[in-house]
Amino acid sequence: MISRRDLLQWVGVGGVGLLAGAARNVSAQPMSHDMSNMAGMEGMAGMSMPSAPAVPSPGPAKAKRHPQGYLPVRTLNGWTLPYKMSGGVKEFHLVAEEIEHEFPPGSRAKCWGYNGTTPGPTIEVVEGDRVRIFVTNRLGEPTSVHWHGIDLPSGFDGVAGLNQSAIGVGETYAYEFTLKQHGTHMYHPHADEMTQLAFGMMGLFIIHPKAGEEVPVDRDYAFLLHNWALHPGTYRPDPSVMQDFDLWSFNSKVFPAIDPLVMRTGERMRIRVGNLSMWNHPIHLHSNPFWVTGSDAGRWPKAQWRREVTEIVGVGQMRDIEFVATEPGDWALHCHMAHHTMGPMGHGIPNPAGVDQSGVEAEIRKMLPGYGAMGRNGMSEHGGHVAMGLKGPENTLPMMAGEGQFGPIEMGGMFTVVKVRDDQRTNDFTDPGWYRYPKDKIARRVSKSPDFGEPVRRNPYGSPAQKPTSAPESMPDMPGMDHSGHGG
Ligand SMILES: [Cu+2]
């Protein structure tokens, strides 16, 4: 299966990678953290962690590479499709089928995908490879596969009716082409697209450059952005929805079920993001600014790399971002459309902000037992309701979810965490738990009084006559405090 040529190629590229890795060997502070007791960290902010005795650095171990020399992509919450060699051709087999999918526990759906999952498995190859891809249709309607962004003969482009007959129910078609480029690509149906995409049929198609990469990366993650109209209480995504979606996902998972991206301080991480949803998504990474380094067009020449902290990944586009982590910690990675980091919610409700609903709540409860009015002082109390075990409709996630070490994270969709650790070992992708903050490097409370300090404020009540006389309801009761000067 592996030729001598492949092995030689591997030695060549691997050697370059190793040297470059050694040159960039970071001054990691070896700290042995026992993460086994991370539960129950609540309220420990600001406490100093006992410093562990120094242990030898795990060192610049070599990242595991494919015999052809490339560093394999990690498909977030996903997997890579195995292939077999047949007369010098890499043979893959995709099966389009209905699947049972879980977004996180508490929300399942009948989705459509490939080989048992949505997204389907990642196809990962090298520029110059010849591939033969069998596609078996186990759906109840015809399908086809379009290899999005890939330079190939028109007859393999996969638009049903235009380039080929649709793959009928139960049939298998073969696509065969040689890869003339490298880059981050996708595959998806081009038959009844509206339905088949809405049900989750998509996958990543990564082509590594044959000549290796001038600037090597140490970790290479990839995911696809998607949206789902899984209405409260239902089990089938609704393909007719165009804008108001219920779930927003990275690789068909929603927070908190999206895996963290882990790395060691000083490493270079690439994150490949593709978008087959119905919206453009400004993907924002906390921590260091990143470079946008590539797309379907491969890794761009260095002169084209851009420094950004948010990159819009438009519908049908791919973007590669890369950064070198200089600060250990837990860093958010999310879509910056505020509703895209939320779970299902009603959009047609009257605006409750600033409205005293106490009388209304009692009246509605008579008709709708368990009803809880909220939103007078913001939506944050929703997180508390969830923590208290307040149940919503069946098979429906709360609008916001996720517990961090300091309390509710109040997110729900396109959100995950990049975990940078000084002692994360090469090839180790396991979740290291929450970051243990040094005492002097974390925001701390200095007062519990809203009258603290003498901040400059520009007439927040419009005019002195409009100054409210009562404090907002949710202001915590603090003995000896005068709330009269503050309110919403
Ligand atoms: Cu978004």
Side-chain angles (χ1 to χ4, degrees):
M1 199 156 139
I2 299 160
S3 69
R4 277 172 63 90
R5 191 178 53 85
D6 287 343
L7 277 172
L8 285 172
Q9 208 175 4
W10 171 53
V11 170
V13 179
V16 170
L18 183 65
L19 283 177
R24 286 177 303 111
N25 187 17
V26 293
S27 55
Q29 302 296 314
M31 286 161 73
S32 167
H33 286 160
D34 177 12
M35 298 296 176
S36 57
N37 60 349
M38 292 306 279
M41 281 285 289
E42 285 93 333
M44 291 183 76
M47 282 185 61
S48 84
M49 297 297 163
S51 54
V55 294
S57 165
K62 221 169 99 180
K64 281 180 193 143
R65 288 180 174 267
H66 182 274
Q68 278 174 287
Y70 63 83
L71 181 74
V73 157
R74 271 192 88 82
T75 308
L76 203 62
N77 292 85
W79 58 300
T80 300
L81 188 61
Y83 62 86
K84 63 179 183 197
M85 294 304 294
S86 174
V89 178
K90 282 185 179 175
E91 265 183 13
F92 296 89
H93 195 156
L94 288 174
V95 180
E97 59 190 341
E98 184 165 288
I99 57 167
E100 184 77 23
H101 179 70
E102 185 179 72
F103 292 94
S107 182
R108 309 184 62 82
K110 284 273 185 227
C111 296
W112 293 359
Y114 297 96
N115 304 53
T117 60
T118 170
T122 297
I123 292 175
E124 195 170 5
V125 291
V126 177
E127 177 185 5
D129 281 351
R130 185 161 184 84
V131 295
R132 183 178 303 125
I133 308 169
F134 298 113
V135 180
T136 298
N137 181 7
R138 297 179 69 95
L139 299 170
E141 69 167 7
T143 191
S144 72
V145 180
H146 166 58
W147 315 99
H148 186 106
I150 295 179
D151 185 2
L152 40 60
S154 179
F156 296 119
D157 200 42
V159 180
L162 178 68
N163 306 124
Q164 66 169 91
S165 306
I167 308 170
V169 176
E171 293 177 348
T172 297
Y173 272 53
Y175 296 82
E176 185 166 335
F177 44 90
T178 300
L179 299 158
K180 300 188 245 175
Q181 75 212 102
H182 62 269
T184 306
H185 310 270
M186 320 185 263
Y187 62 89
H188 64 81
H190 228 298
D192 190 14
E193 257 184 278
M194 183 189 82
T195 307
Q196 297 188 9
L197 281 172
F199 286 179
M201 293 180 73
M202 58 190 67
L204 286 152
F205 198 121
I206 310 289
I207 312 171
H208 295 279
K210 192 172 190 168
E213 294 186 292
E214 190 191 331
V215 180
V217 297
D218 302 297
R219 310 221 179 204
D220 200 353
Y221 278 95
F223 58 85
L224 291 170
L225 306 166
H226 200 43
N227 46 218
W228 308 78
L230 189 67
H231 304 314
T234 68
Y235 287 83
R236 290 265 181 188
D238 177 355
S240 71
V241 169
M242 201 167 84
Q243 288 186 313
D244 275 351
F245 293 94
D246 300 290
L247 299 173
W248 306 89
S249 59
F250 290 172
N251 274 352
S252 303
K253 291 283 186 184
V254 307
F255 182 77
I258 302 172
D259 286 341
L261 290 75
V262 299
M263 68 191 298
R264 179 191 174 100
T265 318
E267 283 184 336
R268 186 182 187 89
M269 180 188 278
R270 171 163 51 210
I271 307 174
R272 308 171 186 251
V273 188
N275 184 0
L276 281 172
S277 77
M278 297 277 282
W279 285 79
N280 298 336
H281 301 285
I283 297 301
H284 177 55
L285 175 66
H286 296 215
S287 169
N288 305 75
F290 54 76
W291 293 273
V292 189
T293 58
S295 66
D296 330 46
R299 210 186 201 190
W300 301 337
K302 264 178 106 172
Q304 271 175 262
W305 293 8
R306 282 185 281 118
R307 211 92 208 262
E308 303 281 358
V309 294
T310 303
E311 175 70 0
I312 295 179
V313 185
V315 179
Q317 285 187 325
M318 317 293 304
R319 284 292 178 269
D320 297 350
I321 65 173
E322 296 176 25
F323 74 107
V324 178
T326 59
E327 288 285 337
D330 292 339
W331 302 100
L333 169 67
H334 62 95
C335 175
H336 219 292
M337 300 275 269
H339 279 231
H340 296 186
T341 51
M342 296 275 108
M345 66 178 90
H347 292 99
I349 54 167
N351 181 4
V355 178
D356 178 358
Q357 305 165 78
S358 44
V360 183
E361 184 178 54
E363 287 303 308
I364 297 179
R365 242 182 220 160
K366 288 177 194 164
M367 296 173 279
L368 210 64
Y371 172 82
M374 61 172 218
R376 181 183 181 182
N377 298 309
M379 291 290 176
S380 186
E381 58 192 329
H382 180 76
H385 295 165
V386 174
M388 279 158 53
L390 202 69
K391 286 264 177 282
E394 197 189 332
N395 197 41
T396 303
L397 296 171
M399 179 175 77
M400 44 176 85
E403 279 288 316
Q405 59 176 313
F406 305 114
I409 297 178
E410 303 183 333
M411 292 282 159
M414 292 175 162
F415 180 94
T416 188
V417 181
V418 175
K419 297 191 174 185
V420 183
R421 298 291 184 272
D422 290 336
D423 55 359
Q424 190 77 20
R425 288 167 182 269
T426 308
N427 300 319
D428 182 3
F429 291 88
T430 52
D431 184 348
W434 299 120
Y435 181 60
R436 295 185 158 201
Y437 291 89
K439 188 183 177 182
D440 60 338
K441 287 190 176 176
I442 185 164
R444 68 192 196 283
R445 177 163 58 213
V446 296
S447 169
K448 286 176 108 173
S449 166
D451 290 328
F452 173 76
E454 290 170 358
V456 176
R457 298 155 79 210
R458 288 195 170 175
N459 213 10
Y461 309 119
S463 73
Q466 287 174 275
K467 188 177 176 177
T469 51
S470 65
E473 231 169 35
S474 69
M475 181 78 79
D477 219 328
M478 282 172 269
M481 261 185 49
D482 175 16
H483 291 158
S484 61
H486 306 274

